[in-house]
Amino acid sequence: MLRHSCLLLLTILFFSCNSGDKDELAKVNPIASPASQSSEEPFLFTAADGAVYLSWIERKENKDQFKFSKMIDGKWSTSQLISEGDNWFVNWADYPSIMVNSEVMAAHWLQKRAEGTYDYDVRMSLSANEGSAWDESFIPHTDGVSAEHGFVSMLPMVNNRIFATWLDGRFTKGEEHAEGGHGGAGAMTLRAAIFDKNGKSESEWELDNRVCDCCQTTAAMTSNGPIVIYRNRTEDEIRDMAIVRWENNAWTEPSIVHADDWNIAGCPVNGPSVAANKDFVAVSWFTASNANPSVKLSVSEDAGKNFAEPIIISQGNTNGRVGTTLLADNSIVVTWMETKNDAAQILLGHFDKSGNHLATKTIAQSSAARSSGFPVVSSTGNKVILAWTEVGENKQVQTASVQF
């Protein structure tokens, strides 16, 4: 779904909020990576007990191997294998993920279903012994259609249940994957489901019947229940951030987080990132409305029902690829990328809970190429953990921390 139908944006101008920092961030502390060379697509997850987990993909002997590691005393444990295959759909922006919920771990990846380039399924697997062994994988979507499915976000729920949301292309089958996006029989949809600790589906919903085809979803748990934020798509090709919320035992209708009014005829491959603590929600995203590439941040104090006017974190020479996490005091950390020519930097910004800028720091040098993927971020207490793909002769997942 990224792919030839998705539009890569060329950014202009240059702006960085490195200047005028109000306080100074502590240094970036590299952490020895558990991933070998030929590794990519990192993902970070922090469990309820504060433990941080890293997952990634390695290429070995014509197979893709999905591995994970747990941070123990500031170091990554020896990697463990989740699954491997020679028929996976491995994509720079649609990366696998893991989730830890008390007694259960969950993992997802993408696996080809048929001969078509974009005919692939989401595959999920569960572990009840801390990842030492994994159950046989299953498909969370029930349509049985050879079409595009991906961009999954997972959350832990009570009683060791798993919430998952994904982009579902069951109605797009037969559409042309031409330059400028999908256009034909039906639109990409947003769906979600809840699974018990054995992988049995308890409920499944269609959350939105028309969404952007290949931007990441993001989800967080509030005091009311899960929220999902994603890039919407109108009939007029306005593609702004939208939210659906679980409230009063039902899903709300989709609503727009902020009307950027970005009119674009193809998917920008640049999804949002959300973090929440009870009723407090922070979301960052990329937009290029009015031909002005920008990264924005907005907060909500009522579990996502209303959002404040967003602040602009970066504009001009940014290509987004955002990440968001919260510290113990509900101050906000956002990561994003800025590019100039072919060079790129991964930046980290610190903001108070009202969105006021406190500091910005360069985390690493990177590349604007697709091969560099999406940097990811998570936190435990006041420590932020970061992971990204270093590109060069070989690709390798790298990690670091920043203590606040």
Side-chain angles (χ1 to χ4, degrees), residues 301-354:
E301 296 184 353
D302 56 9
K305 186 175 182 180
N306 298 283
F307 282 90
E309 185 71 17
I311 66 166
I312 297 176
I313 291 177
S314 175
Q315 64 180 353
N317 204 28
T318 178
N319 61 346
R321 305 191 196 184
V322 299
T324 309
T325 192
L326 297 178
L327 301 182
D329 61 355
N330 276 353
S331 63
I332 307 158
V333 170
V334 179
T335 57
W336 69 95
M337 292 180 68
E338 291 186 358
T339 61
K340 191 173 185 179
N341 300 321
D342 291 329
Q345 293 181 324
I346 301 169
L347 299 177
L348 180 151
H350 186 204
F351 305 84
D352 69 19
K353 61 184 181 180
S354 297

Side-chain angles (χ1 to χ4, degrees), residues 154-271:
M154 296 189 293
L155 295 173
M157 299 194 73
V158 296
N159 299 322
N160 287 305
R161 295 181 301 161
I162 300 108
F163 171 83
T165 185
W166 64 89
L167 298 189
D168 193 298
R170 65 183 65 186
F171 300 129
T172 67
K173 192 60 179 177
E175 292 186 273
E176 293 294 327
H177 294 275
E179 185 68 29
H182 301 284
M188 185 67 69
T189 62
L190 177 72
R191 300 189 72 88
I194 293 175
F195 304 91
D196 68 16
K197 63 181 182 180
N198 298 311
K200 181 180 178 182
S201 177
E202 296 184 353
S203 304
E204 184 179 347
W205 307 269
E206 182 183 87
L207 303 182
D208 194 323
N209 64 9
R210 185 179 177 86
V211 303
C212 199
D213 303 88
C214 45
C215 282
Q216 295 88 358
T217 64
T218 185
M221 191 65 67
T222 72
S223 53
N224 293 331
I227 59 173
V228 180
I229 300 180
Y230 56 98
R231 193 177 296 280
N232 198 359
R233 178 188 175 195
T234 71
E235 295 284 351
D236 297 325
E237 301 293 8
I238 302 298
R239 305 192 189 216
D240 288 342
M241 295 300 112
I243 183 172
V244 289
R245 299 174 290 111
W246 183 257
E247 187 174 72
N248 298 323
N249 295 315
W251 288 101
T252 63
E253 289 296 316
S255 60
I256 297 301
V257 174
H258 180 261
D260 296 316
D261 294 325
W262 187 14
N263 187 290
I264 177 174
C267 179
V269 197
N270 231 313

Side-chain angles (χ1 to χ4, degrees), residues 125-147:
S125 181
L126 307 181
S127 172
N129 55 9
E130 299 183 334
S132 295
W134 292 82
D135 297 339
E136 184 177 352
S137 67
F138 63 94
I139 300 172
H141 41 90
T142 58
D143 52 293
V145 177
S146 295

